[in-house]
Structure formats: C-alpha cells, structure tokens
Amino acid sequence: DVKVTQSSRYLVKRTGEKVFLECVQDMDHENMFWYRQDPGLGLRLIYFSYDVKMKEKGDIPEGYSVSREKKERFSLILESASTNQTSMYLCASSSVGVPNTGELFFGEGSRLTVL
Amino acid sequence: AQSVTQPDIHITVSEGASLELRCNYSYGATPYLFWYVQSPGQGLQLLLKYFSGDTLVQGIKGFEAEFKRSQSSFNLRKPSVHWSDAAEYFCAVGPRSGYSTLTFGKGTMLLVSP
C-alpha cells in the first residue's frame, strides 16, 4: 500500500515563527501536493511538485514556500506564521504511470495552530 | 474553469436507511471522477473512481456511484448506512491528460442517527 507520512500531526506555533511541515511517500511517486483544508472551504491547493527541485503554485501559494530536494520528500514552509494560517494541512502524492489516473494518496494531515 | 459542486453541506441519515450524496461538476471534457471519505482527524481515503466504461462504479465499504454525462453528475450512493459511515465526503475531478491536479468539492458531512 502507498504510504504518505506527515511527520507532525499537531503543531502549535507563535506568530512570526518559521514552520516546517514534512511529508514523505514510499511509493516512488513523481507528483506531490500540499493542500490546506478549512471548514466550509474544502481542500485548496497550495503548491505541487512534479519532480525533484520543481514546484508549481497552486490556488493559494501566498505566505508559503516548498522544497523538494529528494523524490520522496516534500516540505511546506511557512516563513513567518500568521494566525490566518491556522488550518489542517494535507500532503498527497500520485504517480504518472500508465494509465495516469490522477488518483491522490493522502497523508493523515498536520493540524497547525498559530497563536 | 473547472469546478465541483456538492450542494449539501450536511446530511443526516438514520442508520439502515439509504444514502445519496450529490456531486455536479463543470469541466471542459469528461474528467476522471473520484469520491473520497475523511473520518474525523484523518486524511482522505479513496472510496471509488470513474475513468471509463460502465457508468456505475463500485467502491469500498459498500458504496457505489453513477456517472451521468448528460447531467454532469457523479452521485454517491449506499443502500444501507452504518454508524461508522459518519464522516465527510468529497467529490473530486481531474484531467484525462496533462498534470494530475484534482479539483475538490467543499464536502458533505454525513451524520448518522440511531
């Protein structure tokens, strides 16, 4: 089974702190994604990556950056956390194998609270 | 631009009753279609998916969904709901070619009453 692991399930940070959210997948997937989930807003795509060292902005990239130095690892960085970044963050991965179904495999989420 | 609409934010169903969750999409061409489920505090788990062929697809946990091209719909059904089905359900669509980014609906929260 595909396993997507998010290193921190719960984090509490202070305004202005730098925050790292780590995600590792073990199925050699090319694609990795970071979503943000808020009540009533569903899932919104922050950033995604199709290959090592490549990144693309999603729908809400402001205030975030990402890093993909290795194929299996995709990190989300909040340079200076703000209270409006309090949310559930979901990492996902997918394969570009044939057929390319686009199915996403999700981690269990990281709930971030910024005080 | 593509979009997914789940018109029901909350649905309450009695245990043992049937369930239908609605999903409508707007897309340039027939997309790949997915239903995901999220239990409280957990990530999303794939219930079922439609790519081609039979428009009635079977998934895990006794769920099924029917793709209706004329209505741009992909409704999720279950004949008899169990208390453990209480969760949030997300419909998603994705392109048949190009990059694999999915567009999600805002979710429907299912509550199961005894």
Side-chain angles (χ1 to χ4, degrees), chain A residues 80-92:
Chain A
S80 178
S82 63
T83 55
N84 63 13
Q85 293 178 309
T86 292
S87 186
M88 170 73 97
Y89 291 89
L90 293 168
C91 176

Side-chain angles (χ1 to χ4, degrees), chain A residues 60-112:
Chain A
I60 52 164
E62 296 78 19
Y64 303 95
S65 62
V66 290
S67 173
R68 194 165 180 200
E69 296 296 319
K70 294 184 177 181
K71 189 176 185 179
E72 67 271 19
R73 188 179 299 270
F74 192 36
S75 303
L76 180 69
I77 304 157
L78 287 67
E79 293 289 341
S80 178
S82 63
T83 55
N84 63 13
Q85 293 178 309
T86 292
S87 186
M88 170 73 97
Y89 291 89
L90 293 168
C91 176
S93 70
S94 71
S95 172
V96 296
V98 178
N100 184 0
T101 66
E103 177 182 346
L104 293 180
F105 297 84
F106 283 88
E108 293 194 330
S110 298
R111 183 165 293 283
L112 172 66

